[in-house]
Amino acid sequence: MKILFIGDIFGKAGRRAIKTELPFLIKTHHIDCVIANAENTTHGRSISLKHYNELMNNGVNYFTFGNHTWHLDEIKDVLNQKNTVRPLNLNENTSEAKIGQGSITFKINNKIIRLTNLLGNTVECHKIQINPFPYFANFLKNCQNDIHIVDFHTETTSEKNAFFLTFAGEVSAILGTHTHIQSADEKIYKNTAYITDVGMTGGSLGIIGAEPETILKVFMGTAERFRLSPSHSKYQLNAALLTFNDKTNVVESIERIFIYEK
C-alpha cells in the first residue's frame, strides 16, 4: 500500500500545484490514498468549502489542519465532513473542540487506517491546545487500527524530534508540518516512519509560501508584524510517500518528493 502525504497547501499556487501534479503522481506511483495538510489553502489561512471540493476533485482524499484551521467561518462545514481531521489535543471547553474530529479511521484495501492531527506545545494557537505528549500517550491506549499516521503540527524541530522518539514503535508514521521547509532527515525507526517537516506546496519564491515584502520589513527592523499573503510565484509541491507491507502493515519506506513548476 502506498500513501502520499502532501505538505501544507498554501494559496492559489498550492492549489495549482495539486491540480497539475497530483494526478500524475497518483498514476506513476500507484498511490492508494492521498492526505494533505490544508490549513493554508485559502489565501494562506484555513480552507473554504469551495477549495475543499476543488482539492477533492483533484485527488486529495483526506485532510489535516493546524493552528490556522479556524480563520474562516465556513471551516465548520469543512470539519463536518468525514474525511477531515482538525487537531485532536484541544481544550474541551473551547469552541474549536466542539466541531470536527481529531482522529478518524477509514478502510483502504481492507486495512483500517487511522489518521490523527496534533498541535505541538511550541506553535502559537491562543493556548487552546493541551500538551500533546501525555495527551497522545493516553489516547493511544484505546486505538485500534492496522496503520496509524500522525500529522504533528508544531514550530520547533526539537519538539518534533522529541515527539518521534517518544512514540516511535507505537504508530506507523509521524510527519511534521507547519514550518513549510522540507527537511532531509526522513527515516524509519522501530517501524515508525518520520520526517521533521514534509514541506510546503505553494509559491516557491516566497518566504514559506508567502509574498516576501512585509516579512522582509520585519527582518529588516522596519515593521513589527507581517502578513502571510500567498506568493504568486511558480509553485513547488512537497510531499512524503509512504510504502507499507500489505501482509504485515509495517512501513517499508518513506520517500521525499519535491517538484518545482517548470
Side-chain angles (χ1 to χ4, degrees):
M1 180 185 298
K2 292 189 176 185
I3 297 177
L4 184 72
F5 187 99
I6 299 172
D8 304 41
I9 299 171
F10 201 115
K12 187 175 182 179
R15 300 194 305 273
R16 191 172 78 251
I18 297 298
K19 182 177 181 179
T20 306
E21 304 291 346
L22 183 54
F24 178 76
L25 284 171
I26 293 171
K27 183 177 180 180
T28 55
H29 290 281
H30 307 290
I31 293 167
D32 297 290
C33 176
V34 177
I35 304 166
N37 186 293
E39 71 143 5
N40 300 125
T41 298
T42 301
H43 310 305
R45 292 190 176 187
S46 194
I47 185 173
S48 67
L49 190 59
K50 174 185 176 182
H51 291 154
Y52 160 81
N53 286 320
E54 177 185 323
L55 293 177
M56 283 265 292
N57 291 335
N58 289 323
V60 178
N61 305 120
Y62 295 90
F63 299 80
T64 60
F65 295 94
N67 57 307
H68 292 303
T69 303
W70 302 274
H71 186 71
L72 298 177
D73 286 340
E74 59 186 292
I75 190 63
K76 297 173 184 177
D77 297 323
V78 175
L79 293 182
N80 281 326
Q81 306 300 316
K82 294 181 179 180
N83 63 342
T84 61
V85 187
R86 49 91 172 145
L88 173 69
N89 56 318
L90 302 179
N91 186 318
E92 63 181 16
N93 295 320
T94 63
S95 60
E96 290 87 351
K98 301 184 187 306
I99 303 170
Q101 301 177 82
S103 185
I104 61 172
T105 58
F106 50 91
K107 274 193 174 183
I108 299 177
N109 300 338
N110 292 319
K111 304 290 186 181
I112 299 174
I113 315 296
R114 179 175 291 278
L115 178 61
T116 300
N117 193 185
L118 291 162
L119 285 175
N121 291 309
T122 58
V123 68
E124 175 56 44
C125 196
H126 307 292
K127 298 181 180 180
I128 65 171
Q129 73 265 47
I130 298 169
N131 187 322
F133 288 79
Y135 190 95
F136 191 56
N138 186 61
F139 177 78
L140 283 174
K141 294 176 183 178
N142 298 312
C143 283
Q144 293 184 344
N145 44 256
D146 297 310
I147 293 170
H148 191 170
I149 297 172
V150 178
D151 175 348
F152 190 48
H153 194 85
T154 196
E155 190 74 38
T156 64
T157 55
S158 58
E159 187 178 11
K160 293 176 184 181
N161 274 255
F163 191 85
F164 167 57
L165 291 177
T166 300
F167 295 105
E170 298 191 51
V171 297
S172 306
I174 296 171
L175 308 174
T177 59
H178 177 68
T179 45
H180 290 207
I181 305 296
Q182 189 180 76
S183 56
D185 63 339
E186 71 277 16
K187 60 176 70 76
I188 296 174
Y189 175 60
K190 293 184 178 179
N191 292 329
T192 298
Y194 171 76
I195 187 168
T196 298
D197 202 279
V198 177
M200 181 273 303
T201 298
S204 61
L205 294 177
I207 297 176
I208 62 168
E211 287 290 348
E213 184 179 1
T214 62
I215 299 175
L216 290 175
K217 286 181 179 179
V218 172
F219 285 116
M220 291 296 291
T222 58
E224 293 183 359
R225 298 178 63 86
F226 59 77
R227 293 182 59 198
L228 287 178
S229 301
S231 168
H232 298 293
S233 58
K234 288 188 175 182
Y235 65 68
Q236 66 182 52
L237 186 150
N238 287 174
L241 179 60
L242 303 167
T243 302
F244 295 90
N245 186 293
D246 289 330
K247 293 182 179 180
T248 65
N249 303 324
V250 172
V251 64
E252 295 181 332
S253 67
I254 175 171
E255 175 187 351
R256 279 181 292 126
I257 292 177
F258 200 132
I259 300 172
Y260 279 117
E261 183 176 7
K262 297 179 180 178

